[in-house]
Each structure stands twice: as structure tokens, then as C-alpha cells.
Amino acid sequence: MSALIIDGKALALTLREAIAQGVQELVKTAGIKPGLAAVLVGDDPASAVYVRNKKLACEKAGIFPQEHRLPASTTQESLVTLIHQLNGDERIHGILVQLPLPSHIDTKIILQAVSPDKDADGFHPVNVGHLVEGDPIFVPCTPKGVMHMIDSTGEPIAGKRAVVIGRSNIVGKPVAMLLLHRHATVTICHSRTQDLPGVVREADIVVAAIGKPHFVTKDMVKPGAMVIDVGINRLPDGQLVGDVDFDRVKEQAGWITPVPGGVGPMTIAMLLQNTLESARRKAGC
Ligand code: NAD
């Protein structure tokens, strides 16, 4: 058996076309052009690539991109001041602060400085609370993309056993919460889980968000399971791989996402979607 591939690139392209259309309609009907501000502190090359890709994606969708590149020496106070300015900027409907931040800056304080109404990444505690309550306003982009990929298969989620590997605030916890709200029976595995392979083997849906290449192996996966690979890992030879041993696991799974071309493109599409939705809320439509 060979798994069906869930093509994140193709899904993201379709989404981005719909978003571009939505942007045009909002401009026409309400005179509002959605705007996204991206804040990058320091010169981490991977972060710089992410911010550049997000800017290009905004431009293609007709969203106004505002980029703020600050030196690594930026103080926490001046970063907070910038975010407060963006909170009050009428042209901006979404603010994203590219993580990780330099170690002298308290990430929690920065994420809490972003207005919950412009929190395109959905990381503000107010938005986390809405998500936990099951009534989210901004859903974090990667988890939102994961759910879209699962839904694209047409497979029901309710009643399924779902195992999320990784418990970060950015991916693992919100994905688990979204699956729970869709009535899956959810287990979160982490670095101290006992018999992790045994737990994963029970899953109908596996979401891997660990950051370790080829962590999920074929013997951990129930035949026919759906495997969503969030991981992005660079091997010493430069190859980009996920957390799942794709070539072998695809012989066992029913559906699988590739890396690259899986969850990554969905994350950017969902950032655009969140910005558009925020601008629509502002316009009252
Ligand atoms: P993180 O480092 O914050 O969290 C990793 C989690 O994995 C932790 O909760 C930890 O408990 C768990 N973990 C680590 N070692 C483990 C082990 N041996 N057994 C079980 N669990 C273990 O990472 P993150 O921000 O959640 O990102 C996870 C991965 O997803 C990374 O590779 C990251 O680059 C990738 N990522 C991809 C996207 C995307 O758009 N595709 C977005 C965000 C993150």
C-alpha cells in the first residue's frame, strides 16, 4: 500500500487564489486593503527567508506588506514601542513578530504587546483563551493549515484517535485543541512520554511537530493512518526533511504530507487568511 499524498503546495495555491479574490472584493466593497506588518529582529538567515517569503505572498495576494527589520541589539522597550505604533496604525490588520527573538528580549512580553485584534499569529493569551474555549478569533497559522490539510482528505475527524507529538505553544498544543474541538480523542506526546511508539501506533491521525529528522518511523504508524508532518529539519548535506521517515512511512500510512511542499506552504496561506479575516472584521463584514 502507498499513502495518498496531501499536497500542501496545491492546497495553498488554491487558498491563496481565493484570498486574493477576497482582498479584491474587500477593497471594492469597503475600501479597505488588508495590511500585514512583519517584524524581524536580528539577522537569523532562516527567519529572514521566512519574512521575505511572507512579504512576497502578501504582495501576490494584494495585501499591503509592511516590513520592519531591526538590528539584534534592539532593546525590548523600543520593540514594544514599535508594536504599539503598529497596533494604532489604521493600515495594519495583522502583526507578526518573527520568532525566535534575541535572548535579551522576553518573547512573552512582546507577544502580549501585540493587540489581540491584530494578532495574525494567534499567540496572544487572549486569543489562546478563545481557542481553548472553542470559539477562536485568530487560529495560529500552522495548526490552522494542519486542520485544512486533514479536512482536504474528506475523512471525518470526530471519534478518531489523534496523537500529536510535540507540545509547543505554537504547534502542538493548538493543534491538539483544534482536534479536540472537532471531537477527536486526543493524546499529546512529548519528550517524557513513556512508550511513545506504542501510543502513536494507536492513532488514526498523527501530527508530528518535534523538530527531529525521521523521528516517526514506519513501525510506529498504524496501517492506513493519516500522518501530518510539521517538522522542518535541515540535514548536514543541506537536504530539507520533516519529522517523519517519509519514504518508509508512506508504505504504511493512508495519507501523508511531504516535506517540503506540505505544511510549510499552508502556514503562509493561513497567515494571509488571518490578515484578510481581520480586515473583514474591521470593516464589519
Ligand atoms: P519546539 O522545539 O518548540 O517543540 C518541540 C516539541 O517536541 C516539544 O514540545 C518537545 O516536548 C517535543 N520533543 C522533543 N524531543 C522529543 C522526543 N524525543 N520525543 C517526544 N517529543 C519530543 O518546536 P515547534 O516550534 O513546535 O516546532 C516543531 C517542528 O515544526 C520544528 O521542526 C519546526 O521547525 C517545525 N515548524 C514548522 C512550521 C511550518 O510551517 N511547517 C511551523 C512551525 C514549526
Side-chain angles (χ1 to χ4, degrees), residues 50 142 165-172 189-193 196 208-212 215 229-233 241 243 262-268:
Y50 290 143
T142 302
I165 318 174
R167 56 175 162 183
S168 73
N169 291 334
I170 294 172
V171 188
C189 290
H190 47 78
S191 49
R192 300 200 193 172
T193 298
L196 184 144
I210 314 140
K212 289 197 162 50
F215 183 90
D229 190 354
V230 181
I232 301 176
N233 308 289
V241 297
D243 289 344
V263 176
M266 297 301 293
T267 298
I268 295 194

PDB file of all heavy atoms in Angstrom, residues 50 142 165-172 189-193 196 208-212 215 229-233 241 243 262-268, ligand 1:
ATOM      1  N   TYR A  50      11.984  33.463   5.881  1.00  0.00           N
ATOM      2  CA  TYR A  50      10.551  33.351   6.182  1.00  0.00           C
ATOM      3  C   TYR A  50       9.858  34.698   5.975  1.00  0.00           C
ATOM      4  O   TYR A  50       8.798  34.777   5.360  1.00  0.00           O
ATOM      5  CB  TYR A  50      10.322  32.897   7.636  1.00  0.00           C
ATOM      6  CG  TYR A  50      10.715  31.459   7.919  1.00  0.00           C
ATOM      7  CD1 TYR A  50      11.290  31.093   9.126  1.00  0.00           C
ATOM      8  CD2 TYR A  50      10.504  30.456   6.980  1.00  0.00           C
ATOM      9  CE1 TYR A  50      11.654  29.778   9.391  1.00  0.00           C
ATOM     10  CE2 TYR A  50      10.865  29.145   7.234  1.00  0.00           C
ATOM     11  CZ  TYR A  50      11.441  28.816   8.439  1.00  0.00           C
ATOM     12  OH  TYR A  50      11.799  27.525   8.703  1.00  0.00           O
ATOM     13  N   THR A 142       0.037  27.651  11.550  1.00  0.00           N
ATOM     14  CA  THR A 142       0.426  26.265  11.241  1.00  0.00           C
ATOM     15  C   THR A 142      -0.670  25.278  11.664  1.00  0.00           C
ATOM     16  O   THR A 142      -1.079  24.435  10.852  1.00  0.00           O
ATOM     17  CB  THR A 142       1.790  25.936  11.887  1.00  0.00           C
ATOM     18  OG1 THR A 142       2.749  26.869  11.397  1.00  0.00           O
ATOM     19  CG2 THR A 142       2.248  24.536  11.539  1.00  0.00           C
ATOM     20  N   ILE A 165       2.488  14.772  18.416  1.00  0.00           N
ATOM     21  CA  ILE A 165       3.808  14.617  19.044  1.00  0.00           C
ATOM     22  C   ILE A 165       4.448  16.006  19.086  1.00  0.00           C
ATOM     23  O   ILE A 165       4.687  16.615  18.038  1.00  0.00           O
ATOM     24  CB  ILE A 165       4.710  13.627  18.280  1.00  0.00           C
ATOM     25  CG1 ILE A 165       3.913  12.401  17.824  1.00  0.00           C
ATOM     26  CG2 ILE A 165       5.877  13.192  19.164  1.00  0.00           C
ATOM     27  CD1 ILE A 165       4.713  11.442  16.943  1.00  0.00           C
ATOM     28  N   GLY A 166       4.706  16.493  20.299  1.00  0.00           N
ATOM     29  CA  GLY A 166       5.215  17.862  20.490  1.00  0.00           C
ATOM     30  C   GLY A 166       4.161  18.682  21.200  1.00  0.00           C
ATOM     31  O   GLY A 166       2.971  18.571  20.884  1.00  0.00           O
ATOM     32  N   ARG A 167       4.589  19.476  22.180  1.00  0.00           N
ATOM     33  CA  ARG A 167       3.618  20.245  22.978  1.00  0.00           C
ATOM     34  C   ARG A 167       3.974  21.723  23.019  1.00  0.00           C
ATOM     35  O   ARG A 167       3.808  22.392  24.044  1.00  0.00           O
ATOM     36  CB  ARG A 167       3.549  19.686  24.401  1.00  0.00           C
ATOM     37  CG  ARG A 167       4.894  19.663  25.094  1.00  0.00           C
ATOM     38  CD  ARG A 167       4.783  19.234  26.528  1.00  0.00           C
ATOM     39  NE  ARG A 167       6.075  18.811  27.035  1.00  0.00           N
ATOM     40  CZ  ARG A 167       6.283  18.334  28.253  1.00  0.00           C
ATOM     41  NH1 ARG A 167       5.283  18.215  29.086  1.00  0.00           N
ATOM     42  NH2 ARG A 167       7.483  17.959  28.629  1.00  0.00           N
ATOM     43  N   SER A 168       4.492  22.250  21.909  1.00  0.00           N
ATOM     44  CA  SER A 168       4.822  23.684  21.907  1.00  0.00           C
ATOM     45  C   SER A 168       3.542  24.515  21.863  1.00  0.00           C
ATOM     46  O   SER A 168       2.484  24.042  21.440  1.00  0.00           O
ATOM     47  CB  SER A 168       5.704  24.030  20.701  1.00  0.00           C
ATOM     48  OG  SER A 168       4.945  24.005  19.516  1.00  0.00           O
ATOM     49  N   ASN A 169       3.670  25.781  22.296  1.00  0.00           N
ATOM     50  CA  ASN A 169       2.523  26.696  22.256  1.00  0.00           C
ATOM     51  C   ASN A 169       2.159  27.065  20.831  1.00  0.00           C
ATOM     52  O   ASN A 169       1.034  27.474  20.544  1.00  0.00           O
ATOM     53  CB  ASN A 169       2.858  27.985  23.023  1.00  0.00           C
ATOM     54  CG  ASN A 169       2.971  27.732  24.510  1.00  0.00           C
ATOM     55  OD1 ASN A 169       2.366  26.785  25.034  1.00  0.00           O
ATOM     56  ND2 ASN A 169       3.750  28.544  25.191  1.00  0.00           N
ATOM     57  N   ILE A 170       3.140  26.931  19.929  1.00  0.00           N
ATOM     58  CA  ILE A 170       2.953  27.374  18.548  1.00  0.00           C
ATOM     59  C   ILE A 170       2.262  26.306  17.706  1.00  0.00           C
ATOM     60  O   ILE A 170       1.442  26.599  16.849  1.00  0.00           O
ATOM     61  CB  ILE A 170       4.336  27.723  17.947  1.00  0.00           C
ATOM     62  CG1 ILE A 170       4.926  28.938  18.665  1.00  0.00           C
ATOM     63  CG2 ILE A 170       4.279  27.954  16.455  1.00  0.00           C
ATOM     64  CD1 ILE A 170       6.367  29.239  18.279  1.00  0.00           C
ATOM     65  N   VAL A 171       2.611  25.055  17.948  1.00  0.00           N
ATOM     66  CA  VAL A 171       2.073  23.985  17.109  1.00  0.00           C
ATOM     67  C   VAL A 171       1.320  22.920  17.933  1.00  0.00           C
ATOM     68  O   VAL A 171       0.102  22.775  17.798  1.00  0.00           O
ATOM     69  CB  VAL A 171       3.180  23.293  16.265  1.00  0.00           C
ATOM     70  CG1 VAL A 171       2.539  22.332  15.264  1.00  0.00           C
ATOM     71  CG2 VAL A 171       4.076  24.283  15.537  1.00  0.00           C
ATOM     72  N   GLY A 172       2.052  22.187  18.757  1.00  0.00           N
ATOM     73  CA  GLY A 172       1.468  21.006  19.406  1.00  0.00           C
ATOM     74  C   GLY A 172       0.191  21.288  20.172  1.00  0.00           C
ATOM     75  O   GLY A 172      -0.847  20.659  19.917  1.00  0.00           O
ATOM     76  N   CYS A 189       1.902  13.678  22.940  1.00  0.00           N
ATOM     77  CA  CYS A 189       3.154  13.035  23.357  1.00  0.00           C
ATOM     78  C   CYS A 189       4.260  14.086  23.413  1.00  0.00           C
ATOM     79  O   CYS A 189       4.243  15.058  22.653  1.00  0.00           O
ATOM     80  CB  CYS A 189       3.578  11.971  22.348  1.00  0.00           C
ATOM     81  SG  CYS A 189       2.512  10.527  22.355  1.00  0.00           S
ATOM     82  N   HIS A 190       5.221  13.875  24.281  1.00  0.00           N
ATOM     83  CA  HIS A 190       6.345  14.808  24.418  1.00  0.00           C
ATOM     84  C   HIS A 190       7.581  14.037  24.834  1.00  0.00           C
ATOM     85  O   HIS A 190       7.565  12.791  24.845  1.00  0.00           O
ATOM     86  CB  HIS A 190       5.972  15.917  25.407  1.00  0.00           C
ATOM     87  CG  HIS A 190       5.353  15.391  26.652  1.00  0.00           C
ATOM     88  ND1 HIS A 190       6.093  14.831  27.658  1.00  0.00           N
ATOM     89  CD2 HIS A 190       4.045  15.276  27.006  1.00  0.00           C
ATOM     90  CE1 HIS A 190       5.278  14.422  28.609  1.00  0.00           C
ATOM     91  NE2 HIS A 190       4.031  14.676  28.238  1.00  0.00           N
ATOM     92  N   SER A 191       8.625  14.784  25.174  1.00  0.00           N
ATOM     93  CA  SER A 191       9.920  14.136  25.396  1.00  0.00           C
ATOM     94  C   SER A 191       9.914  13.189  26.598  1.00  0.00           C
ATOM     95  O   SER A 191      10.798  12.351  26.719  1.00  0.00           O
ATOM     96  CB  SER A 191      11.003  15.201  25.574  1.00  0.00           C
ATOM     97  OG  SER A 191      10.581  16.150  26.515  1.00  0.00           O
ATOM     98  N   ARG A 192       8.909  13.299  27.477  1.00  0.00           N
ATOM     99  CA  ARG A 192       8.893  12.393  28.635  1.00  0.00           C
ATOM    100  C   ARG A 192       7.795  11.336  28.547  1.00  0.00           C
ATOM    101  O   ARG A 192       7.510  10.637  29.521  1.00  0.00           O
ATOM    102  CB  ARG A 192       8.728  13.201  29.917  1.00  0.00           C
ATOM    103  CG  ARG A 192       9.870  14.179  30.070  1.00  0.00           C
ATOM    104  CD  ARG A 192      10.007  14.630  31.482  1.00  0.00           C
ATOM    105  NE  ARG A 192      10.895  15.783  31.522  1.00  0.00           N
ATOM    106  CZ  ARG A 192      11.113  16.511  32.586  1.00  0.00           C
ATOM    107  NH1 ARG A 192      10.505  16.216  33.712  1.00  0.00           N
ATOM    108  NH2 ARG A 192      11.930  17.521  32.551  1.00  0.00           N
ATOM    109  N   THR A 193       7.169  11.228  27.411  1.00  0.00           N
ATOM    110  CA  THR A 193       6.127  10.210  27.227  1.00  0.00           C
ATOM    111  C   THR A 193       6.757   8.820  27.279  1.00  0.00           C
ATOM    112  O   THR A 193       7.774   8.567  26.633  1.00  0.00           O
ATOM    113  CB  THR A 193       5.431  10.413  25.864  1.00  0.00           C
ATOM    114  OG1 THR A 193       4.804  11.691  25.868  1.00  0.00           O
ATOM    115  CG2 THR A 193       4.403   9.331  25.587  1.00  0.00           C
ATOM    116  N   LEU A 196       6.313   5.969  23.722  1.00  0.00           N
ATOM    117  CA  LEU A 196       5.760   6.843  22.682  1.00  0.00           C
ATOM    118  C   LEU A 196       5.371   6.054  21.413  1.00  0.00           C
ATOM    119  O   LEU A 196       4.270   6.249  20.888  1.00  0.00           O
ATOM    120  CB  LEU A 196       6.753   7.969  22.375  1.00  0.00           C
ATOM    121  CG  LEU A 196       6.318   9.037  21.393  1.00  0.00           C
ATOM    122  CD1 LEU A 196       6.865  10.398  21.785  1.00  0.00           C
ATOM    123  CD2 LEU A 196       6.711   8.724  19.976  1.00  0.00           C
ATOM    124  N   ALA A 208       3.053  15.235  13.675  1.00  0.00           N
ATOM    125  CA  ALA A 208       4.418  15.250  14.210  1.00  0.00           C
ATOM    126  C   ALA A 208       4.959  16.671  14.194  1.00  0.00           C
ATOM    127  O   ALA A 208       5.080  17.282  13.133  1.00  0.00           O
ATOM    128  CB  ALA A 208       5.307  14.335  13.388  1.00  0.00           C
ATOM    129  N   ALA A 209       5.257  17.222  15.376  1.00  0.00           N
ATOM    130  CA  ALA A 209       5.802  18.593  15.484  1.00  0.00           C
ATOM    131  C   ALA A 209       6.886  18.584  16.551  1.00  0.00           C
ATOM    132  O   ALA A 209       6.695  19.078  17.661  1.00  0.00           O
ATOM    133  CB  ALA A 209       4.688  19.575  15.832  1.00  0.00           C
ATOM    134  N   ILE A 210       8.008  17.994  16.190  1.00  0.00           N
ATOM    135  CA  ILE A 210       9.068  17.744  17.171  1.00  0.00           C
ATOM    136  C   ILE A 210      10.341  18.518  16.822  1.00  0.00           C
ATOM    137  O   ILE A 210      11.000  19.092  17.688  1.00  0.00           O
ATOM    138  CB  ILE A 210       9.420  16.227  17.212  1.00  0.00           C
ATOM    139  CG1 ILE A 210       8.146  15.385  17.261  1.00  0.00           C
ATOM    140  CG2 ILE A 210      10.330  15.894  18.387  1.00  0.00           C
ATOM    141  CD1 ILE A 210       8.212  14.153  16.423  1.00  0.00           C
ATOM    142  N   GLY A 211      10.700  18.487  15.540  1.00  0.00           N
ATOM    143  CA  GLY A 211      11.963  19.099  15.127  1.00  0.00           C
ATOM    144  C   GLY A 211      13.113  18.120  15.171  1.00  0.00           C
ATOM    145  O   GLY A 211      14.248  18.503  15.460  1.00  0.00           O
ATOM    146  N   LYS A 212      12.809  16.845  14.875  1.00  0.00           N
ATOM    147  CA  LYS A 212      13.856  15.821  14.828  1.00  0.00           C
ATOM    148  C   LYS A 212      13.671  14.990  13.554  1.00  0.00           C
ATOM    149  O   LYS A 212      12.616  14.368  13.374  1.00  0.00           O
ATOM    150  CB  LYS A 212      13.770  14.904  16.052  1.00  0.00           C
ATOM    151  CG  LYS A 212      14.188  15.576  17.350  1.00  0.00           C
ATOM    152  CD  LYS A 212      14.478  14.544  18.429  1.00  0.00           C
ATOM    153  CE  LYS A 212      15.302  15.088  19.574  1.00  0.00           C
ATOM    154  NZ  LYS A 212      14.874  16.302  20.182  1.00  0.00           N
ATOM    155  N   PHE A 215      11.951  11.122  12.904  1.00  0.00           N
ATOM    156  CA  PHE A 215      11.596  10.645  14.249  1.00  0.00           C
ATOM    157  C   PHE A 215      10.482   9.585  14.178  1.00  0.00           C
ATOM    158  O   PHE A 215      10.508   8.586  14.884  1.00  0.00           O
ATOM    159  CB  PHE A 215      11.136  11.835  15.093  1.00  0.00           C
ATOM    160  CG  PHE A 215      10.814  11.509  16.508  1.00  0.00           C
ATOM    161  CD1 PHE A 215      11.796  11.569  17.486  1.00  0.00           C
ATOM    162  CD2 PHE A 215       9.520  11.142  16.884  1.00  0.00           C
ATOM    163  CE1 PHE A 215      11.492  11.261  18.809  1.00  0.00           C
ATOM    164  CE2 PHE A 215       9.224  10.840  18.193  1.00  0.00           C
ATOM    165  CZ  PHE A 215      10.210  10.901  19.160  1.00  0.00           C
ATOM    166  N   ASP A 229       3.068  15.888   8.812  1.00  0.00           N
ATOM    167  CA  ASP A 229       4.448  16.166   9.236  1.00  0.00           C
ATOM    168  C   ASP A 229       4.692  17.679   9.271  1.00  0.00           C
ATOM    169  O   ASP A 229       4.790  18.329   8.223  1.00  0.00           O
ATOM    170  CB  ASP A 229       5.411  15.489   8.243  1.00  0.00           C
ATOM    171  CG  ASP A 229       6.851  15.513   8.714  1.00  0.00           C
ATOM    172  OD1 ASP A 229       7.132  16.158   9.748  1.00  0.00           O
ATOM    173  OD2 ASP A 229       7.694  14.875   8.046  1.00  0.00           O
ATOM    174  N   VAL A 230       4.783  18.228  10.475  1.00  0.00           N
ATOM    175  CA  VAL A 230       5.000  19.676  10.621  1.00  0.00           C
ATOM    176  C   VAL A 230       6.494  20.017  10.620  1.00  0.00           C
ATOM    177  O   VAL A 230       6.897  21.123  10.289  1.00  0.00           O
ATOM    178  CB  VAL A 230       4.324  20.196  11.922  1.00  0.00           C
ATOM    179  CG1 VAL A 230       4.524  21.693  12.080  1.00  0.00           C
ATOM    180  CG2 VAL A 230       2.840  19.870  11.932  1.00  0.00           C
ATOM    181  N   GLY A 231       7.316  19.064  10.966  1.00  0.00           N
ATOM    182  CA  GLY A 231       8.751  19.316  11.167  1.00  0.00           C
ATOM    183  C   GLY A 231       9.462  19.879   9.943  1.00  0.00           C
ATOM    184  O   GLY A 231       9.117  19.554   8.799  1.00  0.00           O
ATOM    185  N   ILE A 232      10.423  20.741  10.218  1.00  0.00           N
ATOM    186  CA  ILE A 232      11.316  21.251   9.160  1.00  0.00           C
ATOM    187  C   ILE A 232      12.730  21.093   9.705  1.00  0.00           C
ATOM    188  O   ILE A 232      13.102  21.760  10.678  1.00  0.00           O
ATOM    189  CB  ILE A 232      11.057  22.738   8.836  1.00  0.00           C
ATOM    190  CG1 ILE A 232       9.609  22.951   8.379  1.00  0.00           C
ATOM    191  CG2 ILE A 232      12.023  23.238   7.763  1.00  0.00           C
ATOM    192  CD1 ILE A 232       9.264  24.421   8.129  1.00  0.00           C
ATOM    193  N   ASN A 233      13.495  20.196   9.120  1.00  0.00           N
ATOM    194  CA  ASN A 233      14.856  19.952   9.597  1.00  0.00           C
ATOM    195  C   ASN A 233      15.827  19.982   8.426  1.00  0.00           C
ATOM    196  O   ASN A 233      15.543  19.435   7.361  1.00  0.00           O
ATOM    197  CB  ASN A 233      14.934  18.565  10.254  1.00  0.00           C
ATOM    198  CG  ASN A 233      13.851  18.367  11.309  1.00  0.00           C
ATOM    199  OD1 ASN A 233      13.902  18.974  12.370  1.00  0.00           O
ATOM    200  ND2 ASN A 233      12.851  17.541  11.003  1.00  0.00           N
ATOM    201  N   VAL A 241      14.176  17.986   5.461  1.00  0.00           N
ATOM    202  CA  VAL A 241      13.301  16.847   5.746  1.00  0.00           C
ATOM    203  C   VAL A 241      12.384  17.174   6.914  1.00  0.00           C
ATOM    204  O   VAL A 241      12.650  18.096   7.681  1.00  0.00           O
ATOM    205  CB  VAL A 241      14.109  15.557   6.078  1.00  0.00           C
ATOM    206  CG1 VAL A 241      14.954  15.099   4.901  1.00  0.00           C
ATOM    207  CG2 VAL A 241      14.961  15.747   7.329  1.00  0.00           C
ATOM    208  N   ASP A 243       9.776  15.492  10.220  1.00  0.00           N
ATOM    209  CA  ASP A 243       9.974  14.651  11.405  1.00  0.00           C
ATOM    210  C   ASP A 243       9.598  13.203  11.114  1.00  0.00           C
ATOM    211  O   ASP A 243       9.729  12.339  11.986  1.00  0.00           O
ATOM    212  CB  ASP A 243       9.079  15.158  12.550  1.00  0.00           C
ATOM    213  CG  ASP A 243       9.553  16.484  13.110  1.00  0.00           C
ATOM    214  OD1 ASP A 243      10.707  16.875  12.841  1.00  0.00           O
ATOM    215  OD2 ASP A 243       8.760  17.136  13.821  1.00  0.00           O
ATOM    216  N   GLY A 262       4.532  20.507   2.070  1.00  0.00           N
ATOM    217  CA  GLY A 262       3.406  20.030   2.871  1.00  0.00           C
ATOM    218  C   GLY A 262       2.835  21.152   3.717  1.00  0.00           C
ATOM    219  O   GLY A 262       2.215  22.084   3.202  1.00  0.00           O
ATOM    220  N   VAL A 263       3.095  21.073   5.022  1.00  0.00           N
ATOM    221  CA  VAL A 263       2.528  22.045   5.961  1.00  0.00           C
ATOM    222  C   VAL A 263       3.105  23.456   5.746  1.00  0.00           C
ATOM    223  O   VAL A 263       2.402  24.449   5.917  1.00  0.00           O
ATOM    224  CB  VAL A 263       2.759  21.574   7.424  1.00  0.00           C
ATOM    225  CG1 VAL A 263       2.257  22.610   8.415  1.00  0.00           C
ATOM    226  CG2 VAL A 263       2.070  20.229   7.667  1.00  0.00           C
ATOM    227  N   GLY A 264       4.372  23.543   5.352  1.00  0.00           N
ATOM    228  CA  GLY A 264       5.031  24.854   5.198  1.00  0.00           C
ATOM    229  C   GLY A 264       4.235  25.838   4.355  1.00  0.00           C
ATOM    230  O   GLY A 264       3.914  26.944   4.829  1.00  0.00           O
ATOM    231  N   PRO A 265       3.872  25.497   3.118  1.00  0.00           N
ATOM    232  CA  PRO A 265       3.108  26.442   2.292  1.00  0.00           C
ATOM    233  C   PRO A 265       1.743  26.795   2.890  1.00  0.00           C
ATOM    234  O   PRO A 265       1.232  27.900   2.688  1.00  0.00           O
ATOM    235  CB  PRO A 265       2.914  25.693   0.961  1.00  0.00           C
ATOM    236  CG  PRO A 265       3.939  24.617   0.947  1.00  0.00           C
ATOM    237  CD  PRO A 265       4.250  24.289   2.371  1.00  0.00           C
ATOM    238  N   MET A 266       1.184  25.845   3.660  1.00  0.00           N
ATOM    239  CA  MET A 266      -0.124  26.115   4.279  1.00  0.00           C
ATOM    240  C   MET A 266      -0.020  27.202   5.346  1.00  0.00           C
ATOM    241  O   MET A 266      -0.935  28.003   5.537  1.00  0.00           O
ATOM    242  CB  MET A 266      -0.672  24.847   4.949  1.00  0.00           C
ATOM    243  CG  MET A 266      -0.943  23.714   4.007  1.00  0.00           C
ATOM    244  SD  MET A 266      -2.123  24.153   2.745  1.00  0.00           S
ATOM    245  CE  MET A 266      -3.587  24.374   3.722  1.00  0.00           C
ATOM    246  N   THR A 267       1.119  27.227   6.045  1.00  0.00           N
ATOM    247  CA  THR A 267       1.303  28.204   7.123  1.00  0.00           C
ATOM    248  C   THR A 267       1.235  29.621   6.569  1.00  0.00           C
ATOM    249  O   THR A 267       0.564  30.494   7.125  1.00  0.00           O
ATOM    250  CB  THR A 267       2.664  27.949   7.820  1.00  0.00           C
ATOM    251  OG1 THR A 267       2.621  26.648   8.398  1.00  0.00           O
ATOM    252  CG2 THR A 267       2.942  28.965   8.905  1.00  0.00           C
ATOM    253  N   ILE A 268       1.908  29.838   5.446  1.00  0.00           N
ATOM    254  CA  ILE A 268       1.894  31.182   4.840  1.00  0.00           C
ATOM    255  C   ILE A 268       0.489  31.529   4.351  1.00  0.00           C
ATOM    256  O   ILE A 268      -0.005  32.640   4.570  1.00  0.00           O
ATOM    257  CB  ILE A 268       2.924  31.282   3.699  1.00  0.00           C
ATOM    258  CG1 ILE A 268       4.337  31.120   4.273  1.00  0.00           C
ATOM    259  CG2 ILE A 268       2.782  32.611   2.941  1.00  0.00           C
ATOM    260  CD1 ILE A 268       5.465  31.513   3.353  1.00  0.00           C
TER     261      ILE A 268
HETATM  262  P1  NAD B   1       9.588  23.198  19.817  1.00  0.00           P
HETATM  263  O1  NAD B   1      11.048  22.908  19.886  1.00  0.00           O
HETATM  264  O2  NAD B   1       9.034  24.401  20.471  1.00  0.00           O
HETATM  265  O3  NAD B   1       8.808  21.947  20.391  1.00  0.00           O
HETATM  266  C1  NAD B   1       9.191  20.643  20.101  1.00  0.00           C
HETATM  267  C2  NAD B   1       8.363  19.691  20.912  1.00  0.00           C
HETATM  268  O4  NAD B   1       8.822  18.380  20.608  1.00  0.00           O
HETATM  269  C3  NAD B   1       8.484  19.881  22.407  1.00  0.00           C
HETATM  270  O5  NAD B   1       7.184  20.002  22.942  1.00  0.00           O
HETATM  271  C4  NAD B   1       9.123  18.613  22.917  1.00  0.00           C
HETATM  272  O6  NAD B   1       8.489  18.106  24.090  1.00  0.00           O
HETATM  273  C5  NAD B   1       8.885  17.626  21.792  1.00  0.00           C
HETATM  274  N1  NAD B   1      10.008  16.704  21.714  1.00  0.00           N
HETATM  275  C6  NAD B   1      11.316  16.984  21.587  1.00  0.00           C
HETATM  276  N2  NAD B   1      12.041  15.852  21.606  1.00  0.00           N
HETATM  277  C7  NAD B   1      11.162  14.844  21.731  1.00  0.00           C
HETATM  278  C8  NAD B   1      11.298  13.441  21.826  1.00  0.00           C
HETATM  279  N3  NAD B   1      12.482  12.840  21.770  1.00  0.00           N
HETATM  280  N4  NAD B   1      10.170  12.703  21.974  1.00  0.00           N
HETATM  281  C9  NAD B   1       8.975  13.307  22.027  1.00  0.00           C
HETATM  282  N5  NAD B   1       8.782  14.623  21.921  1.00  0.00           N
HETATM  283  C10 NAD B   1       9.862  15.382  21.801  1.00  0.00           C
HETATM  284  O7  NAD B   1       9.233  23.155  18.281  1.00  0.00           O
HETATM  285  P2  NAD B   1       7.979  23.751  17.446  1.00  0.00           P
HETATM  286  O8  NAD B   1       8.091  25.212  17.333  1.00  0.00           O
HETATM  287  O9  NAD B   1       6.702  23.146  17.919  1.00  0.00           O
HETATM  288  O10 NAD B   1       8.342  23.132  16.009  1.00  0.00           O
HETATM  289  C11 NAD B   1       8.409  21.736  15.803  1.00  0.00           C
HETATM  290  C12 NAD B   1       8.908  21.481  14.409  1.00  0.00           C
HETATM  291  O11 NAD B   1       7.968  22.037  13.493  1.00  0.00           O
HETATM  292  C13 NAD B   1      10.247  22.134  14.067  1.00  0.00           C
HETATM  293  O12 NAD B   1      10.920  21.301  13.160  1.00  0.00           O
HETATM  294  C14 NAD B   1       9.851  23.415  13.400  1.00  0.00           C
HETATM  295  O13 NAD B   1      10.847  23.889  12.512  1.00  0.00           O
HETATM  296  C15 NAD B   1       8.627  22.961  12.658  1.00  0.00           C
HETATM  297  N6  NAD B   1       7.677  24.028  12.351  1.00  0.00           N
HETATM  298  C16 NAD B   1       7.207  24.064  11.090  1.00  0.00           C
HETATM  299  C17 NAD B   1       6.270  25.015  10.719  1.00  0.00           C
HETATM  300  C18 NAD B   1       5.753  25.003   9.334  1.00  0.00           C
HETATM  301  O14 NAD B   1       5.246  25.993   8.870  1.00  0.00           O
HETATM  302  N7  NAD B   1       5.857  23.887   8.631  1.00  0.00           N
HETATM  303  C19 NAD B   1       5.842  25.962  11.656  1.00  0.00           C
HETATM  304  C20 NAD B   1       6.320  25.890  12.968  1.00  0.00           C
HETATM  305  C21 NAD B   1       7.231  24.895  13.305  1.00  0.00           C
END
